[in-house]
Amino acid sequence: MAEWEIGVGGPADLDALEPLWVAVHHRHVESMPELAPYVTDAETWRVRRTLYARVLADPDTLLLLASSGNELIGYGLAHVMAVEDSWIPDTWVTGPRIGEIESLSVSPDFRGSGLGSELLRRLEEHLGAVGAADIVLGALAGNDDALRLYERRGYRPTWLYLSKFAGR
């Protein structure tokens, strides 16, 4: 039996996600220190929380919460957009709606437990059920653990952003 449970969350759960998002932010910093300086923990959460509040207003959005006992140990957030609102339609043939795995976070103590795979599977299932069989997600180039998980689930690189930040 799994040492965690997964349920559905909503806008009222946003503030509980902060430590898990900040852990993702720290993983980004660790993965690619050469891109420093990074925004503060407070700033990353302020921006991310605003994004989450916006996408949670859409009824096709799904927020999954993973817990062990009373502790929140992970979450996944997926939403749907019209393909015309994405970078996809000038290159690939897809359906009219694109699912996006916006975020996936698993507490370091539970990485390798299968929780990330299960969150991803449930998000994909939800997106298919709401008519978004084509799915995109983003990962920081240096986050090798996340990239391995996504590749095991059939994701392949499609678009690569290169950045040139002033002063680095």
Side-chain angles (χ1 to χ4, degrees):
M1 176 161 213
E3 46 190 300
W4 33 261
E5 296 178 349
I6 298 174
V8 175
D13 298 302
L14 276 179
D15 291 331
L17 304 179
E18 181 177 3
L20 288 165
W21 171 254
V22 169
V24 170
H25 178 63
H26 288 181
R27 183 72 185 117
H28 293 167
V29 172
E30 294 162 8
S31 297
M32 300 197 72
E34 65 274 15
L35 294 180
Y38 285 85
V39 300
T40 65
D41 292 354
E43 180 64 6
T44 191
W45 177 242
R46 184 191 67 75
V47 173
R48 184 56 48 155
R49 189 186 192 291
T50 299
L51 170 66
Y52 288 175
R54 182 176 51 80
V55 299
L56 279 167
D58 185 326
D60 288 335
T61 297
L62 177 64
L63 172 62
L64 294 175
L65 303 174
S67 58
S68 178
N70 292 327
E71 180 185 5
L72 187 62
I73 59 165
Y75 73 94
L77 180 68
H79 65 101
V80 178
M81 62 185 145
V83 71
E84 296 86 20
D85 295 335
S86 76
W87 44 266
I88 296 169
D90 65 352
T91 304
W92 293 284
V93 175
T94 66
R97 292 164 45 94
I98 298 294
E100 181 172 13
I101 308 295
E102 184 62 51
S103 294
L104 189 69
S105 177
V106 174
S107 170
D109 293 342
F110 288 85
R111 292 182 187 148
S113 70
L115 177 56
S117 294
E118 182 62 15
L119 286 167
L120 190 53
R121 183 191 71 74
R122 291 185 191 197
L123 292 171
E124 291 169 339
E125 186 176 272
H126 167 77
L127 290 169
V130 297
D134 301 301
I135 303 171
V136 297
L137 56 76
L140 196 65
N143 193 346
D144 296 332
D145 293 338
L147 291 170
R148 277 191 297 277
L149 167 62
Y150 301 144
E151 288 174 357
R152 278 195 313 266
R153 297 283 309 168
Y155 292 87
R156 298 296 176 258
T158 49
W159 198 262
L160 174 66
Y161 282 97
L162 301 176
S163 302
K164 181 179 176 184
F165 298 126
R168 285 161 176 83

